[in-house]
Amino acid sequence: MALITQAMILAAGKGTRLRPLTLETPKPLVKVGGQPLIVWHIKALRAVGITDITINASWLADKLMATLGDGSQYAVKLHWSPEDDEPLETAGGIFQALQTEKLRDEPFILVNSDIWTTYDFAQLQDYTLSADQRAHLLLIDNPEHNNGGDFAINNGLASEHAIGEADKYTFAGISVISPRLVDGLVTGQPAALAPLLKQAMLKFQVTGEIMTDNWIDVGTPERLWQINEFIETKGAGNHRGK
C-alpha cells in the first residue's frame, strides 16, 4: 500500500467576503494565530511527510507566490499552478495542474486554503482509493452558516441525498481525490467540483467519513475574529502546523 505523497491546496479565490482585507492581501495570506492561514496547512502537511504541494493561484497571485516562494523556507517543494484573473474553479484548477504536471497522475490530498482545522493529515496519508473510486471526503457537523449540510453518508458511501433517517453533513474542504474524477475536462475552462462529485456519487464512487476535530471556515471577518480569539485564548492544541 503506497502512501499518498502529494497534496494540492486551493488558493485561487478572491476572498470577496473578507473584503476590504483581501483587496490587497490574498486570502490565503490573511493572518490566523500570527501566521498566514495557508502556512498552517503547509506545515501540517510537511509534518506528516508530504512535501510535494501544488498550489493554484489567481487573485493577487504574484503576492502569494512571492511570499511563499518555492517552499524551501518551510522545507517543502511548492509547485505553482497560476490561473488567469478569473479562476478555473476547483475541478478546472485540478485539471490544469494535472495537465501541466504540477500534480502527478496519482491520488492526492486536496485542501481548501480558507479553512483552519486541527485535523491530522496523517490519518489520510495511507488512505487507498479503490480502482473505481473517485474521492474520499471528510465531513463535519453543520456549522451555523450551512445548516442544511452538503452530503450524507450511507454505509460509508457519500451521497447528495440522505436515505431514511440519515443526516446531511458539511464538506470540510479536505479530501483524497483521484485524477480520474476530472477526466474529460477542457484545459482552461472553469469547472466546479461539486457536479463531478455528485455524478460520481450516483455511481457509488465516493466515500466519506465524519471528522470531529476543531474546524472553521475562515470566510468572513466575524469567523476570522472567532478563530484568532480561539487560538489566543485556548491555543492551537495539537495542530501540526504550529
Side-chain angles (χ1 to χ4, degrees), residues 105-181:
D105 188 18
E106 59 188 57
F108 57 93
I109 293 175
L110 183 68
V111 186
N112 289 0
S113 67
D114 56 1
I115 63 168
W116 187 91
T117 179
T118 55
Y119 181 80
D120 185 352
F121 291 115
Q123 299 174 72
L124 280 187
Q125 194 179 14
D126 61 355
Y127 188 87
T128 302
L129 296 174
S130 62
D132 63 347
Q133 193 176 353
R134 297 295 177 260
H136 178 70
L137 311 180
L138 296 189
L139 307 176
I140 60 161
D141 288 333
N142 298 326
E144 290 183 4
H145 58 85
N146 193 43
N147 282 328
D150 299 313
F151 304 116
I153 296 181
N154 303 290
N155 296 321
L157 291 171
S159 61
E160 182 180 2
H161 303 291
I163 297 177
E165 299 297 318
D167 294 322
K168 290 185 72 172
Y169 296 87
T170 292
F171 178 41
I174 304 172
S175 54
V176 176
I177 300 292
S178 165
R180 303 288 74 75
L181 181 65

Side-chain angles (χ1 to χ4, degrees), residues 9-232:
I9 302 176
L10 300 169
K14 293 183 177 181
T16 52
R17 292 176 299 164
L18 274 173
R19 289 183 175 176
L21 186 60
T22 49
L23 287 174
E24 296 184 357
T25 300
K27 182 168 62 170
L29 295 184
V30 169
K31 292 290 184 68
V32 167
Q35 67 179 350
L37 181 54
I38 195 171
V39 171
W40 288 92
H41 297 317
I42 293 171
K43 289 182 176 180
L45 288 164
R46 181 202 63 202
V48 302
I50 297 177
T51 56
D52 271 325
I53 302 172
T54 297
I55 303 176
N56 65 337
S58 176
W59 177 250
L60 300 175
D62 290 345
K63 280 190 176 182
L64 182 60
M65 295 166 67
T67 300
L68 301 178
D70 62 2
S72 56
Q73 60 184 314
Y74 305 112
V76 300
K77 185 172 183 179
L78 297 182
H79 307 274
W80 289 101
S81 184
E83 300 173 9
D84 293 332
D85 291 338
E86 288 303 317
L88 296 171
E89 301 191 56
T90 300
I94 291 171
F95 187 73
Q96 174 176 279
L98 286 163
Q99 294 298 108
T100 56
E101 299 185 345
K102 304 296 174 63
L103 270 176
R104 298 188 302 279
D105 188 18
E106 59 188 57
F108 57 93
I109 293 175
L110 183 68
V111 186
N112 289 0
S113 67
D114 56 1
I115 63 168
W116 187 91
T117 179
T118 55
Y119 181 80
D120 185 352
F121 291 115
Q123 299 174 72
L124 280 187
Q125 194 179 14
D126 61 355
Y127 188 87
T128 302
L129 296 174
S130 62
D132 63 347
Q133 193 176 353
R134 297 295 177 260
H136 178 70
L137 311 180
L138 296 189
L139 307 176
I140 60 161
D141 288 333
N142 298 326
E144 290 183 4
H145 58 85
N146 193 43
N147 282 328
D150 299 313
F151 304 116
I153 296 181
N154 303 290
N155 296 321
L157 291 171
S159 61
E160 182 180 2
H161 303 291
I163 297 177
E165 299 297 318
D167 294 322
K168 290 185 72 172
Y169 296 87
T170 292
F171 178 41
I174 304 172
S175 54
V176 176
I177 300 292
S178 165
R180 303 288 74 75
L181 181 65
V182 298
D183 280 351
L185 294 185
V186 177
T187 302
Q189 180 175 311
L193 185 65
L196 298 182
L197 286 173
K198 292 173 182 177
Q199 290 173 21
M201 287 174 184
L202 292 174
K203 300 175 183 178
F204 309 108
Q205 295 176 326
V206 181
T207 56
E209 63 177 289
I210 308 300
M211 58 174 273
T212 57
D213 305 81
N214 289 320
W215 180 96
I216 189 169
D217 172 358
V218 191
T220 66
E222 293 76 18
R223 295 203 290 271
L224 175 60
W225 180 87
Q226 287 173 10
I227 187 56
N228 276 313
E229 179 75 5
F230 177 88
I231 294 173
E232 183 177 345

